[in-house]
């Protein structure tokens, strides 16, 4: 079971390393692995993206999307990137649901994210602005895809 989970999280190479020698990203993957070993039906994750770079955030979100095929993943975040990897989103403030829906529901109301202290990724922010100016048809977290659409126009 352990080797299976280490394969899912792609950290088999870390199996014999000391935890204090790992990067923040690697420690997150170890924590996810520890949680997955228990074979949960629901995985609750609290602000897992804090303190890691954009590239590693995307890797973790892709992994969570893959894990979500076998179990329910519920994640809290103050980051806008998860909007692109989740099926459904809620914005909760002071115990009240302010907004719920798909990423488009949220990105169409970009100001509500800022008002609720959600960190808007620079590429997502650019795509929101370019879509507002009718220069893009879609929202993007991937800069290359966004530029590709711009070049097509």
């Amino acid at each position: 079971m352990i080797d299976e989970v280490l394969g899912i999280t792609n950290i088999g190479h870390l199996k014999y390393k000391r935890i204090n020698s790992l990067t923040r990203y690697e420690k997150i993957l170890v924590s996810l692995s520890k949680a997955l070993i228990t074979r949960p039906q629901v995985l609750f994750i609290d602000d897992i993206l804090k303190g890691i770079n954009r590239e590693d955030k995307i890797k973790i979100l892709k992994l969570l999307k893959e894990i979500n095929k076998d179990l329910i993943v519920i994640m809290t975040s103050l980051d806008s990137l998860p909007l692109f990897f989740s099926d459904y989103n809620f914005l909760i403030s002071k115990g009240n649901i302010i907004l719920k829906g798909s990423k488009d529901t949220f990105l169409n109301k970009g100001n509500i994210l800022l008002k609720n202290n959600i960190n808007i990724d620079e590429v997502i922010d650019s795509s929101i602005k370019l879509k507002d100016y009718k220069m893009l048809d879609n929202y993007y977290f991937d800069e290359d895809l966004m530029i590709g659409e711009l070049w097509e126009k």
Side-chain angles (χ1 to χ4, degrees):
M1 178 65 189
I2 291 173
D3 288 331
E4 178 186 340
V5 170
L6 294 178
I8 291 168
T9 55
N10 199 25
I11 61 167
H13 63 286
L14 301 177
K15 191 173 182 178
Y16 298 106
K17 289 202 172 195
R18 294 182 163 275
I19 193 77
N20 61 356
S21 70
L22 303 180
T23 66
R24 168 86 173 118
Y25 169 68
E26 291 168 334
K27 288 177 183 176
I28 290 169
L29 293 176
V30 168
S31 294
L32 278 174
S33 298
K34 286 170 48 178
L36 292 174
I37 285 174
T38 65
R39 295 184 182 255
Q41 293 179 343
V42 179
L43 185 62
F44 291 95
I45 301 171
D46 184 30
D47 210 9
I48 197 170
L49 303 176
K50 190 175 183 180
I52 59 173
N53 65 45
R54 185 176 196 279
E55 181 182 318
D56 289 342
K57 286 179 183 182
I58 292 170
K59 287 180 196 174
I60 287 172
L61 290 167
K62 286 180 178 179
L63 173 63
L64 291 173
K65 184 73 172 171
E66 187 63 31
I67 290 170
N68 190 230
K69 292 177 183 175
D70 298 320
L71 56 95
I72 297 168
V73 176
I74 298 174
M75 183 173 109
T76 65
S77 182
L78 294 174
D79 199 300
S80 60
L81 275 173
L83 293 170
F84 285 84
F85 296 89
S86 59
D87 298 322
Y88 204 75
N89 306 283
F90 291 89
L91 178 58
I92 300 172
S93 178
K94 298 177 183 168
N96 297 308
I97 296 174
I98 307 244
L99 188 62
K100 59 184 176 179
S102 68
K103 77 171 172 16
D104 289 343
T105 302
F106 280 73
L107 298 177
N108 283 333
K109 300 178 188 220
N111 286 339
I112 201 165
L113 297 176
L114 289 173
K115 288 178 187 173
N116 286 279
N117 298 318
I118 304 298
N119 301 322
I120 299 183
D121 177 82
E122 62 272 2
V123 175
I124 296 171
D125 187 44
S126 297
S127 75
I128 291 170
K129 291 173 181 165
L130 291 168
K131 193 167 189 297
D132 285 347
Y133 287 110
K134 311 279 188 254
M135 295 175 72
L136 288 175
D137 296 325
N138 300 296
Y139 297 111
Y140 293 96
F141 74 91
D142 184 302
E143 189 173 31
D144 292 334
L145 293 174
M146 180 175 68
I147 290 170
E149 183 180 328
L150 286 168
W151 278 109
E152 289 176 10
K153 290 195 172 251

